[in-house]
Amino acid sequence: VSNWNEARVERKLAREYINRIQEDLRANQHDMNMRTAYFSEVRRHALAALEARQETASALDEEFLIDSFIASFSLRRSYQSNTFDELLSAGAMNTIPSIEIRNRIAEYYRVVEGSDYYMNRVPSYADALRRTMPYEVQYLIRSGGCNAGFSTNETGAIAAMAPRNCAPEISPELTAIAVEKLLSSDLEPELTRALADFDLKIQLFQIWVDRAQILYDFLEESK
């Protein structure tokens, strides 16, 4: 009877862990979709800034400054693995009786850890832009609403949104000075590299949405 009760408790605990891992997978899917939307918008501004650099200084206005500034945005965040980390730290992986399930879960998070560097990398363009663009212009752009927005959902998770509409008040004289500084700087290679980084991130986000769904479905079928 004692052995039977112990086995029943372990089976219950295993189901709870699996359910919590599924919750983590759903949360990560929402997070990756949010990141996709965020970096897609940043990428749009980066493309506009890169294209505008082919123009003459007199043909550019504050829109070029806004595009160049938003193209420097980043979003660093670790992949959620709370339940898996708890399983490891508590030495509780063996509460899940199926070796196949344990292996699938462990492999999933092992690969996630390997790509975390790429998902959190900040392109060097961000630092280069902030060193080149006059501080007063950066301040006015931020004051004009060109900041990333943040909110929380019902679980307390933070969601980030790239700015879509902003209207900084930059004088024509200051705009001309800032435009000239950006065009005369060697930022184009950095901006090009940042675009390649955004492309990689967006691709990785979709891969992790798909992989999370595959593991979620596998765990659901194993119940």
Side-chain angles (χ1 to χ4, degrees):
V1 172
S2 176
N3 289 341
W4 180 84
N5 281 333
E6 184 178 343
R8 182 175 61 85
V9 170
E10 286 193 352
R11 286 196 300 271
K12 182 175 182 295
L13 184 59
R15 285 196 300 271
E16 290 176 354
Y17 274 128
I18 289 174
N19 288 338
R20 287 175 55 193
I21 285 176
Q22 287 183 297
E23 291 174 2
D24 286 351
L25 292 173
R26 280 286 184 250
N28 280 319
Q29 283 182 310
H30 290 309
D31 184 66
M32 291 297 147
N33 287 329
M34 177 275 295
R35 294 195 209 197
T36 297
Y38 179 91
F39 279 105
S40 294
E41 185 66 13
V42 173
R43 179 181 180 276
R44 183 179 70 82
H45 285 281
L47 281 171
L50 185 63
E51 182 178 350
R53 293 185 69 87
Q54 310 309 314
E55 302 288 341
T56 60
S58 59
L60 300 177
D61 54 19
E62 68 178 25
E63 184 177 357
F64 169 61
L65 301 180
I66 293 171
D67 287 331
S68 299
F69 186 74
I70 295 178
S72 70
F73 283 15
S74 61
L75 181 62
R76 302 183 66 178
R77 184 177 303 166
S78 296
Y79 199 82
Q80 182 172 316
S81 58
N82 298 341
T83 303
F84 180 68
D85 293 341
E86 181 181 324
L87 278 167
L88 294 181
S89 63
M93 278 294 283
N94 287 336
T95 60
I96 300 174
S98 169
I99 295 177
E100 182 181 7
I101 293 176
R102 295 202 304 263
N103 288 342
R104 289 283 292 269
I105 292 172
E107 177 64 14
Y108 175 84
Y109 284 104
R110 184 187 68 79
V111 179
V112 164
E113 184 179 359
S115 62
D116 201 50
Y117 165 78
Y118 298 101
M119 292 194 289
N120 285 287
R121 182 171 57 191
V122 178
S124 57
Y125 171 76
D127 183 61
L129 183 280
R130 283 163 171 72
R131 286 188 285 105
T132 304
M133 180 179 282
Y135 170 74
E136 185 178 356
V137 174
Q138 296 184 47
Y139 176 81
L140 291 173
I141 289 176
R142 288 190 182 278
S143 301
C146 302
N147 279 315
F150 295 92
S151 62
T152 56
N153 60 21
E154 64 278 3
T155 67
I158 296 177
M161 299 158 288
R164 288 188 174 274
N165 298 300
C166 53
E169 296 182 1
I170 309 174
S171 68
E173 295 78 15
L174 186 55
T175 296
I177 292 172
V179 166
E180 185 60 41
K181 275 184 171 293
L182 292 186
L183 289 183
S184 61
S185 66
D186 191 27
L187 285 177
E188 187 167 333
E190 306 291 343
L191 182 55
T192 302
R193 181 66 184 86
L195 273 164
D197 187 87
F198 299 150
D199 289 342
L200 176 60
K201 281 184 169 66
I202 293 170
Q203 183 181 17
L204 281 174
F205 298 154
Q206 187 57 55
I207 288 173
W208 288 117
V209 167
D210 295 340
R211 292 193 81 242
Q213 188 63 51
I214 291 171
L215 181 57
Y216 183 96
D217 292 341
F218 170 75
L219 295 176
E220 190 69 20
E221 293 169 2
S222 69
K223 291 180 179 178

